Amino acid sequence: MVFPKFHPDSCALIKQYLTPALFGQLAPLETRTGFTLGAAIQSGIKNPDSHIGIYAGDAQSYNLFSPILDPIIHAYHAVEETFEHKPGLDQILLAPLDPDKAFILSARVRVARNLKGFSFPCHITHQNRSQVESLVSEAVQSLPRDLKGGYLPFKGLAPSQIQDLLARKLAFPKGDRFQDAAGINRDFPDSRGIFASNDKKFMIWVNEEDHLRIISMESSSDICGVFNRLRLGLDHLSHRLEFAFDKKYGFLTSCPTNIGTAMRAGVHIRLRKLEKNHKLLKSLVNRYQLQIRGTGGEKTSIDKGIFDISNKQRLGISETRIIKNLHTGVAAIIEAEKNL
Ligand code: CIR
């Protein structure tokens, strides 16, 4: 097996940590479902601007390829070398963040989950992907009254219908070039779909980057209410579905950036003054362990002074602590905006 050729400009963590000796040790190995290191790093080889450049094909990947994944996880998540998932999904009650509705447009919390016993999306077979869809669409029928809704499969929809749903945020697009190179987009839109509660505040994306992306959101600043709704949905789903989980790595996800709680909690916030004082905004965001993204999602740009501000830490921190930190950080950012 030949040592992979990474682009000379690539700064991906996989390029930094994969030594010829490590490659020699790991390249001949296969997980029980036949996933290899060669497949795991395709996206990093094909996309020189990858940040980490490696995906997991199944739960066992995390253990079998731990000699390369652990240093990458350690570097990305800025955790101790002896990192361990920290559980803690307690009900939360905190003071309203933006009672005058002056800054925050919406709040959103999502977690990623994969089903135990199935390969992850970059490696799953067509038939198993369809089984995942069936299991999830059956499980959602047991959701409690407030979360009741319907599952809409994308298969058979005309491209114009998908466009219309995308505009209404009731569909997700085919994955980006990073996911494409990893094999996650195979057979799209087969066995993909969205469950949405009747009030559209609770959703589940099926077979996107992970088997499930469970999302709670609303057009308000009530991050606690959004989180508590997610807890309720998760609690019901976990009686019907068994999720891939490991004591050390937490919830196992396709992308090692998401392991641990697999949770991203954030707000869309308009910051007209801080937009012009990027240095201050950046320092606040760093101080409270948050990150800024465009409102279109991962790797999108900032539009009209509206920022997506969310937690940076997902591993070695509990879900409840993530929400509390977000609340403290966003409150400080609002205070700074008011004082400018
Ligand atoms: C990269 O290495 O840059 C891409 N594979 C994306 C990493 C961020 N993770 C994610 O979107 N789940």
Side-chain angles (χ1 to χ4, degrees):
M1 261 163 260
V2 191
F3 189 73
K5 237 195 196 145
F6 291 101
H7 194 279
D9 297 339
S10 167
C11 296
L13 293 177
I14 183 67
K15 183 182 165 193
Q16 291 177 41
Y17 288 98
L18 190 64
T19 60
L22 211 44
F23 182 77
Q25 176 195 336
L26 300 177
L29 307 182
E30 273 189 19
T31 65
R32 284 184 289 278
T33 69
F35 193 66
T36 60
L37 180 69
I41 63 176
Q42 277 313 302
S43 185
I45 295 171
K46 291 185 184 144
N47 293 289
D49 54 344
S50 287
H51 186 41
I52 63 157
I54 184 166
Y55 286 91
D58 52 22
Q60 198 200 348
S61 303
Y62 279 96
N63 293 313
L64 194 65
F65 304 123
S66 62
I68 182 63
L69 279 171
D70 281 5
I72 289 177
I73 289 167
H74 168 63
Y76 179 85
H77 291 270
V79 283
E80 305 270 312
E81 270 176 46
T82 53
F83 63 85
E84 192 169 76
H85 168 60
K86 201 172 188 177
L89 252 170
D90 309 308
Q91 177 115 11
I92 308 184
L93 192 65
L94 296 167
L97 254 182
D98 180 23
D100 303 331
K101 300 186 171 94
F103 307 99
I104 296 179
L105 306 167
S106 61
R108 180 182 191 268
V109 185
R110 68 90 167 137
V111 291
R113 293 287 186 268
N114 288 288
L115 298 190
K116 189 174 174 185
F118 288 89
S119 290
F120 297 170
C122 65
H123 183 55
I124 198 166
T125 62
H126 190 271
Q127 194 188 2
N128 285 350
R129 194 191 294 115
S130 165
Q131 276 177 287
V132 168
E133 184 186 35
S134 302
L135 287 167
V136 178
S137 55
E138 275 163 36
V140 291
Q141 291 173 22
S142 69
L143 285 168
R145 202 175 47 153
D146 287 356
L147 304 183
K148 286 231 173 294
Y151 176 69
L152 178 69
F154 298 165
K155 189 177 176 168
L157 294 179
S160 63
Q161 285 174 298
I162 297 200
Q163 278 311 317
D164 176 54
L165 290 167
L166 277 171
R168 292 160 50 212
K169 298 206 165 29
L170 292 173
F172 53 82
K174 194 169 176 171
D176 60 22
R177 63 192 155 82
F178 300 88
Q179 294 163 323
D180 202 67
I184 291 171
N185 291 341
R186 285 169 303 125
D187 310 316
F188 188 90
D190 271 22
S191 303
R192 271 71 168 198
I194 283 194
F195 166 83
S197 62
N198 294 329
D199 63 5
K200 311 282 184 277
K201 291 181 178 176
F202 182 76
M203 295 199 185
I204 304 172
W205 292 6
V206 180
N207 288 322
E208 200 242 11
E209 184 175 294
D210 294 288
H211 296 152
L212 293 92
R213 286 287 174 101
I214 307 169
I215 302 159
S216 172
M217 60 185 184
E218 64 183 59
S219 304
S220 86
S221 63
D222 184 10
I223 191 76
C224 293
V226 168
F227 175 69
N228 291 331
R229 184 187 306 114
L230 184 87
R231 284 182 67 246
L232 177 70
L234 255 181
D235 187 46
H236 280 263
L237 290 170
S238 50
H239 288 111
R240 293 278 183 286
L241 301 168
E242 196 175 354
F243 300 129
F245 178 81
D246 178 273
K247 201 170 166 300
K248 173 179 162 96
Y249 298 100
F251 290 99
L252 301 176
T253 52
S254 294
C255 184
T257 60
N258 278 321
I259 57 163
T261 56
M263 187 166 109
R264 209 170 81 78
V267 294
H268 281 186
I269 182 165
R270 185 176 279 123
L271 301 167
R272 292 200 192 281
K273 294 185 179 141
L274 279 167
E275 187 191 12
K276 296 184 194 97
N277 195 336
H278 230 256
K279 216 169 145 200
L280 176 58
L281 179 59
K282 203 105 206 153
S283 75
L284 285 163
V285 159
N286 288 341
R287 187 179 316 155
Y288 293 98
Q289 295 277 347
L290 302 172
Q291 66 183 16
I292 299 180
R293 310 197 328 176
T295 48
E298 178 80 19
K299 302 189 199 249
T300 62
S301 53
I302 308 298
D303 191 25
K304 296 185 192 121
I306 302 174
F307 297 80
D308 178 321
I309 297 186
S310 61
N311 60 301
K312 197 150 93 184
Q313 289 172 285
R314 300 188 225 295
L315 176 65
I317 179 172
S318 73
E319 289 87 345
T320 306
R321 177 49 57 196
I322 288 175
I323 299 293
K324 287 184 177 163
N325 288 358
L326 176 75
H327 188 277
T328 310
V330 172
I333 289 170
I334 291 177
E335 207 44 44
E337 173 78 7
K338 282 182 181 166
N339 289 336
L340 273 175

